[in-house]
Amino acid sequence: MNELFDFFKPKKKKEIKGLVLGLDNAGKTTILKAFKGETVKNLPPTKGFNFQKFEYNKTYFTLWDLGGQKSIRKFWEDYYQKENDCIIYVVDSSDSYRLEETGKELYNILQQPELSGVPLVIYANKQDLNMALSADEILEQLNLDDINDRNWTIVACSALTKQGLSSGLDWLIECNNENSKK
């Protein structure tokens, strides 16, 4: 009888909590709005942080979108203390002049003990622009193959067209499923 009750009991949905980081104007908020199906045109820069919740593929996501202006980045560490299941790092693929700066910020994040081992999705955003570097070019220029202390992936995407966005979420769900089996 108890097994029958368990069969009809609604299954608890999974939840993934994390941080969305990257330099200003990389498209962090635009990506989150696209996840939620909201308007993504003409968004103002994030001053501080945004908190977004949405459901995707039977999984709840709770993500902190942290502003990427240089003056705000020092406050990112306040959010490292939270229980994080993922880091989403957004790179503006069309801004090759700031690639070195974005790489330094990424590696600084990865050195934080509170984020040790936390899975990482790198969105190579703005692939819809002609001057965008490919995900492979970003992988090479940022030496991403040197990351060996966590699961990670890089995904070419466009927040405006939504191309590639679901691939990153699917990867996070799969990664979370593997971690929960351990």
Side-chain angles (χ1 to χ4, degrees):
M1 181 77 168
N2 207 9
E3 289 176 19
L4 184 62
F5 177 73
D6 286 345
F7 178 77
F8 288 108
K9 190 166 67 172
K11 302 252 189 280
K12 185 178 178 186
K13 294 198 178 185
K14 296 175 187 159
E15 182 176 13
I16 296 176
K17 300 175 185 176
L19 303 173
V20 181
L21 303 166
L23 301 186
D24 52 303
N25 200 38
K28 299 175 298 297
T29 304
T30 307
I31 285 174
L32 284 175
K33 295 280 187 186
F35 286 153
K36 292 180 72 176
E38 296 178 8
T39 303
V40 297
K41 297 253 184 205
N42 302 320
L43 293 174
T46 301
K47 306 265 193 237
F49 65 87
N50 287 315
F51 178 82
Q52 299 285 337
K53 280 188 140 190
F54 61 93
E55 184 180 353
Y56 172 80
N57 230 7
K58 299 180 183 175
T59 301
Y60 289 113
F61 283 84
T62 304
L63 300 172
W64 289 93
D65 169 20
L66 306 180
Q69 296 88 343
K70 197 170 208 158
S71 61
I72 295 176
R73 290 181 217 155
K74 62 186 170 196
F75 299 107
W76 287 358
E77 65 189 38
D78 295 340
Y79 296 86
Y80 299 164
Q81 307 293 327
K82 299 186 182 305
E83 191 172 312
N84 292 298
D85 303 312
C86 72
I87 302 166
I88 297 174
Y89 193 82
V90 181
V91 175
D92 180 345
S93 301
S94 70
D95 192 353
S96 59
Y97 297 108
R98 295 181 74 195
L99 207 52
E100 183 178 339
E101 181 182 4
T102 199
K104 284 180 183 176
E105 290 297 340
L106 173 60
Y107 280 96
N108 183 45
I109 293 163
L110 299 180
Q111 299 304 311
Q112 303 307 310
E114 303 90 345
L115 299 174
S116 177
V118 174
L120 168 70
V121 170
I122 302 163
Y123 276 119
N125 192 26
K126 303 187 183 181
Q127 292 294 310
D128 53 308
L129 301 177
N130 289 335
M131 61 256 196
L133 298 172
S134 70
D136 287 340
E137 290 171 309
I138 290 171
L139 183 148
E140 185 178 318
Q141 289 192 29
L142 295 183
N143 298 313
L144 298 178
D145 283 329
D146 291 346
I147 301 172
N148 55 20
D149 65 339
R150 69 192 67 234
N151 290 328
W152 66 272
T153 191
I154 185 167
V155 177
C157 75
S158 166
L160 292 181
T161 68
K162 298 182 183 178
Q163 170 246 340
L165 294 181
S166 61
S167 297
L169 294 180
D170 290 336
W171 183 87
L172 283 172
I173 292 169
E174 180 67 28
C175 196
N176 187 267
N177 288 341
E178 288 175 14
N179 287 341
S180 67
K181 290 178 186 173
K182 294 179 182 177

